[in-house]
Amino acid sequence: MPQVPQTFFDALAVRTWCGLALRALGRAREEIDAINVYPVADGDTGTNLYLTVESATTAVEAVFTGHAAGSGPDGTPSLADAARAMAHGALIGARGNSGTILAQLLRGMAQVLAAEGESPGTDAEGLRLALRHAADSARQAVAHPVEGTVLSVASAAADAAGEAEGDCGTVAKAAYQGACTALAATPGQLAVLARAGVVDAGGRGLVAVLAALVETFTGETPAAERGGRAAAGSSVGGSADPDASGLHAREDSCAEEVTGSGGPAFEVIYLLEAEDAPVDRLRQRLDGLGDSLVVVGGDGLWNVHVHVDDAGAAVEAGVEAGRPYRIRITHFGADDVHARGGERPPRERVQRAVVAVVPGEGLAGLYAEAGATPVLARPGEPPASGELVQAVRRAHAREVVLLPNDADLRHTAAAAAEQARAEGIRVALIPTRSAVQGIAALAVHEPDRRFDEDVVSMTSAAGATRYAEVAVAERQSWTMAGICQAGDVLGLIDGDVAVIGADVTATAETVVDRMLAAGGELVTLVLGDEAPEGVAERIEARVREAYLAVDTVVYHGGRQGALLLIGVE
């Protein structure tokens, strides 16, 4: 669906941009991970950028929820509130070198946008100033700036935006085009990129974020981004062919960079509560201990990132400066995380487990009884990737099957799976779109089978299950079945509105009839707390009378958002 363009940079534009940027990075995450060769070829830049923007998005959504009563004329937060939330969320959730720099870019923009005070929004000039300050502050946060990185791309975007005349959409387009041009030039600025035949991964991520800014103000995604690649391409020359792109050359160069460069062994990241003066001393101390030093933040809260050989000394330096917490220490020479903020890995692990997102307490109990580790997704509160990673850890298994049970969670689940794999856990993500598909997958799960065979069997069962839900429309809207009004009962089949009715039971019966018209052996009904009494009995009776040899099973899902979930397999 086309994005409704935003005329000014206001709180809604901040919210829209964060959501679109998260979606864009979700699409490009694997591509960016694949071209990550600098400063360390650890293949996680795309994931780190996604997690950073995810944290920013969550913070902005929280501000909108908190302003439900409204500090603005239409019940929305001010631009300053939204911008500060975006910057704070990115700061506390920043991951890796590129994620930390992106957090500072967003903080730099927020400092300009928040200067508008309680103004509802800013214009093109404000956007130009914000992009300029973002690029300058990010460069200042890096101890030893290197050209051919995300810093070069950010500076070029700000330069191009500064020369653009017109509205916010025109400025955003200019920034994006300037970034694309700079991205294409990165292999000529940094030898490691040229040897690998790729562009800078962090710069590629920033191009995706700027493409989302263009979509925010114009309603259209730049043509070069629709296929998932920047205008410059992810490889030198922009080839889409992996053999021609230089990605095979990257494998050899990665081995050379990791084993022969003699670089630091550990990445150390932590949040730090400290005043400005101690942080200045901390920068000098860490600069002497290692490289890739980035310290971002301010107003008493900082995010510290550095590559060192002596991880303990880097943490001790933080203790001398203030109060470090959320400490993460990653060993580059292995695929495990040696420290996770004080957590210890379980001493003994089961061989295999299933982790599943479920929409209600009732289904959470059902999944738990079946041996899965459930992650509860309350209405309007989808879990973040960090929650999924914690659930994977709680499962205490060497192998994990992850069931997101929601199409909108596919990128979040993919990022969580990538994090878990980095900790040495074998994770398979089955792209289930509904909890009823997850039930079907769990029904054929056999932990004693070979992992690949079990995953194939569960994927096949989920794919053979059509899913539907019955819900009440909250507002007037265009749908595949026509125009619905607030209060209408909607029957959605495989994610699209197929039936608009006035009665829940009648609508549910129509949905089941349409689904069984294509055949089926089992109908699964999951009742929400607000489903009308007797609806399950009516549907069971209809199926029994009209469809021979089709069974029905009923579960109670609790408070799950939809009145009724339906599966046919």
Side-chain angles (χ1 to χ4, degrees):
M1 175 177 281
Q3 175 63 41
V4 177
Q6 303 292 317
T7 306
F8 294 98
F9 207 160
D10 56 8
L12 182 58
V14 172
R15 183 189 201 184
T16 301
W17 181 31
C18 286
L20 292 174
L22 186 64
R23 188 172 69 183
L25 288 171
R27 291 194 301 263
R29 183 185 60 80
E30 291 183 356
E31 172 202 336
I32 297 171
D33 282 346
I35 63 173
N36 172 202
V37 299
Y38 182 84
V40 176
D42 47 357
D44 62 359
T45 291
T47 300
N48 287 337
L49 290 171
Y50 179 88
L51 295 171
T52 302
V53 174
E54 180 185 55
S55 182
T57 302
T58 300
V60 172
E61 290 298 328
V63 165
F64 269 80
T65 300
H67 281 73
S71 62
D74 56 354
T76 61
S78 67
L79 170 61
D81 288 336
R84 280 193 288 259
M86 173 184 69
H88 180 75
L91 177 68
I92 64 174
R95 298 295 185 92
N97 190 70
S98 294
T100 308
I101 293 174
L102 178 61
Q104 185 65 11
L105 287 167
L106 296 179
R107 176 178 171 81
M109 292 189 70
Q111 287 174 328
V112 173
L113 299 176
E116 298 290 333
E118 294 303 311
S119 172
T122 190
D123 56 11
E125 178 60 21
L127 178 56
R128 281 191 288 266
L129 292 173
L131 291 169
R132 178 76 272 160
H133 187 63
D136 293 344
S137 61
R139 189 170 288 270
Q140 292 167 4
V142 178
H144 301 284
V146 175
E147 298 306 323
T149 65
V150 63
L151 297 176
S152 303
V153 176
S155 294
D159 291 343
E163 298 174 359
E165 297 292 338
D167 58 11
C168 285
T170 302
V171 173
K173 285 180 181 178
Y176 169 76
Q177 291 164 358
C180 288
T181 300
L183 179 64
T186 56
Q189 298 172 292
L190 204 53
V192 64
L193 301 179
R195 287 197 299 270
V198 297
V199 295
D200 179 66
R204 171 64 184 98
L206 180 57
V207 165
V209 172
L210 290 174
L213 187 65
V214 173
E215 187 175 358
T216 298
F217 291 117
T218 68
E220 298 180 356
T221 306
E225 288 289 322
R226 293 178 197 143
R229 290 183 179 271
S234 291
S235 58
V236 176
S239 171
D241 179 5
D243 290 321
S245 70
L247 292 183
H248 287 288
R250 171 193 178 276
E251 294 174 3
D252 294 335
S253 73
C254 284
E256 178 183 343
E257 290 298 316
V258 173
T259 62
S261 65
F266 296 95
E267 177 185 57
V268 178
I269 304 173
Y270 50 81
L271 292 178
L272 177 70
E273 292 180 354
E275 299 301 321
D276 291 1
V279 170
D280 289 338
R281 293 193 293 271
L282 174 66
R283 282 193 178 98
Q284 296 176 9
R285 175 85 180 276
L286 294 179
D287 193 23
L289 288 174
D291 58 29
S292 296
L293 173 61
V294 185
V295 180
V296 303
D299 301 321
L301 181 62
W302 309 82
N303 190 305
V304 179
H305 171 280
V306 67
H307 295 171
V308 294
D309 281 322
D310 190 343
V315 175
E316 288 174 5
V319 173
E320 293 176 3
R323 187 179 77 87
Y325 61 102
R326 291 195 188 178
I327 302 167
R328 292 178 59 88
I329 304 173
T330 304
H331 186 213
F332 290 129
D335 290 332
D336 60 330
V337 175
H338 285 203
R340 302 181 187 92
E343 295 180 22
R344 292 187 177 181
R347 293 183 179 178
E348 294 184 8
R349 290 183 175 181
V350 298
Q351 183 60 31
R352 188 174 310 157
V354 176
V355 173
V357 180
V358 291
E361 292 85 351
L363 280 182
L366 173 67
Y367 272 73
E369 289 175 8
T373 299
V375 179
L376 187 61
R378 295 178 175 82
E381 300 178 19
S385 60
E387 294 177 68
L388 299 186
V389 173
Q390 289 293 341
V392 170
R393 292 171 183 158
R394 287 200 310 272
H396 294 179
R398 298 180 181 89
E399 302 167 339
V400 173
V401 180
L402 182 57
L403 307 174
N405 291 340
D406 187 335
D408 291 336
L409 288 177
R410 63 191 185 279
H411 296 317
T412 301
E418 195 69 25
Q419 278 188 279
R421 292 182 189 118
E423 298 177 12
I425 304 171
R426 189 180 184 188
V427 182
L429 172 61
I430 298 178
T432 48
R433 300 185 175 187
S434 170
V436 292
Q437 288 188 322
I439 291 173
L442 200 56
V444 300
H445 168 55
E446 292 185 15
D448 294 332
R449 273 193 301 222
R450 289 179 59 248
F451 185 63
D452 292 340
E453 292 177 356
D454 196 28
V455 171
V456 168
S457 178
M458 295 175 72
T459 302
S460 178
T465 303
R466 300 188 68 195
Y467 63 96
E469 67 178 75
V470 177
V472 177
E474 297 180 355
R475 63 184 66 84
Q476 184 186 60
S477 180
W478 289 88
T479 75
M480 297 287 289
I483 301 176
C484 71
Q485 305 294 330
D488 283 348
V489 179
L490 306 180
L492 295 88
I493 299 177
D494 294 338
D496 292 323
V497 176
V499 181
I500 300 175
D503 179 76
V504 173
T505 302
T507 301
E509 289 179 331
T510 302
V511 167
V512 171
D513 284 341
R514 292 197 182 184
M515 296 178 76
L516 287 175
E521 299 176 354
L522 176 67
V523 175
T524 300
L525 304 177
V526 182
L527 300 175
D529 280 346
E530 298 181 1
E533 187 175 351
V535 61
E537 291 79 0
R538 283 275 300 274
I539 295 175
E540 283 185 288
R542 184 174 186 83
V543 170
R544 187 169 52 249
E545 294 168 2
Y547 302 96
L548 297 177
V550 177
D551 295 325
T552 304
V553 60
V554 180
Y555 302 108
H556 291 275
R559 182 172 172 263
Q560 63 184 22
L563 299 175
L564 180 67
L565 300 177
I566 304 170
V568 172
E569 54 182 302

